[in-house]
Amino acid sequence: MKLLHKDIEKDNAGQVTLMPEEAEDMWHTYNLLQVGDSLRASTIRKVQTEKATGSVGSARVRTTLTVCVKTIDFDTQACQLRVKGTNLEENQYVKMGAYHTIELEPNRKFTLAKKVWDSVVLDRIEQACDAAQKADVAAVVMQEGLANVVLVTPAMTLLRAKVEVTIPRKRKGSCTQHEKALERFYEAVMQAILSHVDFGVVKCVLVASPGFVKDQFISYLYREAVRHDNKVLLKNRPKFILVHSSSGHKYSLKEILSDPTVTSRLSDTKAAAEVRSLEEFYKMLQHEPDRAFYGLAHVEKAAEALAVDTLLISDVLFRHQEVATRREQLTQMSGVAAILRFPMADLSEPEDDSSSDDD
């Protein structure tokens, strides 16, 4: 993400102009947008045209509109962002107050104005525009015939390739078809890694599977790298880490990143930070429950007592909408949790609900 212009007043009102450059930037943009904001961007509008003969037709024209944001729709898989709102500045194609949907996309700038820019939103802009805040972990989650190649960033998990190859069962006396299909599968996975993993940024590549699929694939990968003198794979061989997973589906990534042997190897990567904090919270909840609390009321009381050591907040709290496909464990805990510096046993006592009984 590039910050092209920033103009925020002392009362925290103002606007910024940004240029998203890649898929993850669209996720950041989604989190910056809120209902009631003003969004200005280039867009396509379908307009009616009248020819000299009197016949009426339609044409698609490009124009720049400023809309008051009403609804925001983000497709996490396609990284497509559609913002619907009412036009704030009349032009030759669109009347004041008319509805229009702007599709934001990479490499097309936009200007976002807010009545109040809070610290959370400003921090997100800083994070999005920091060149160091990129995907430094890649993962290949696989099983026989299925592999998902993903990049893990501090903000989200990006699916870069899904490889599916039908693997025939072994037959008595002949394994030829089975072995040929496996070789095609391994070759496709290797090419996906070469196409989608930037070894200049990525510090490690997790290769995970049930059984010995990961071991057989890595043997194939190294053998082919030597045979073709693939300097990229040979140079980055130490970055590959073999891990057990229960399946080759993308959802297995969560268990992989929570594995203690993996988190120790990923200690210097950004992707592991959130996982470590969440794991530490659950461990504290189990062994020292008086130092782990969730829910706004409990966390506020702990904050008033200056007891909060680590604060965990779900992105959902900063939005007016939720993305159904992005559900974190924190969301199940009312969106906020805290690890305390010292025990507060009195917080564990039930809240007095007597006031809610009054009608």
Side-chain angles (χ1 to χ4, degrees), residues 226-275:
V226 171
R227 189 161 72 93
H228 296 287
D229 192 27
N230 189 310
K231 291 182 173 57
V232 172
L233 291 176
L234 293 174
K235 179 183 177 181
N236 290 282
R237 182 170 178 167
K239 294 183 178 181
F240 286 85
I241 303 172
L242 299 186
V243 192
H244 172 78
S245 68
S246 58
S247 79
H249 295 282
K250 185 183 169 186
Y251 62 75
S252 293
L253 186 62
K254 179 185 167 185
E255 67 177 88
I256 297 165
L257 291 174
S258 300
D259 187 313
T261 59
V262 173
T263 52
S264 63
R265 292 289 298 272
L266 302 186
S267 57
D268 62 340
T269 68
K270 306 175 201 73
E274 280 189 11
V275 176

Side-chain angles (χ1 to χ4, degrees), residues 5 12-13 19 27 29 51 102 150 170 191 211 252 280 293 318 321 348 356:
H5 179 73
N12 289 328
M19 173 86 80
W27 168 252
T29 301
K51 298 180 181 178
I102 295 176
V150 301
K170 293 180 180 179
Q191 293 304 323
S252 293
E280 183 183 354
F293 290 92
F318 300 113
Q321 293 177 315
S348 301
S356 63

Side-chain angles (χ1 to χ4, degrees), residues 299-318:
V299 173
E300 278 185 339
K301 287 182 179 178
E304 289 170 3
L306 303 179
V308 175
D309 184 30
T310 303
L311 181 66
L312 297 92
I313 304 178
S314 168
D315 283 344
V316 173
L317 285 185
F318 300 113

Side-chain angles (χ1 to χ4, degrees), residues 60-71:
R60 291 165 60 84
V61 297
R62 181 165 289 280
T63 186
T64 299
L65 292 180
T66 303
V67 301
C68 177
V69 177
K70 299 297 183 184
T71 62

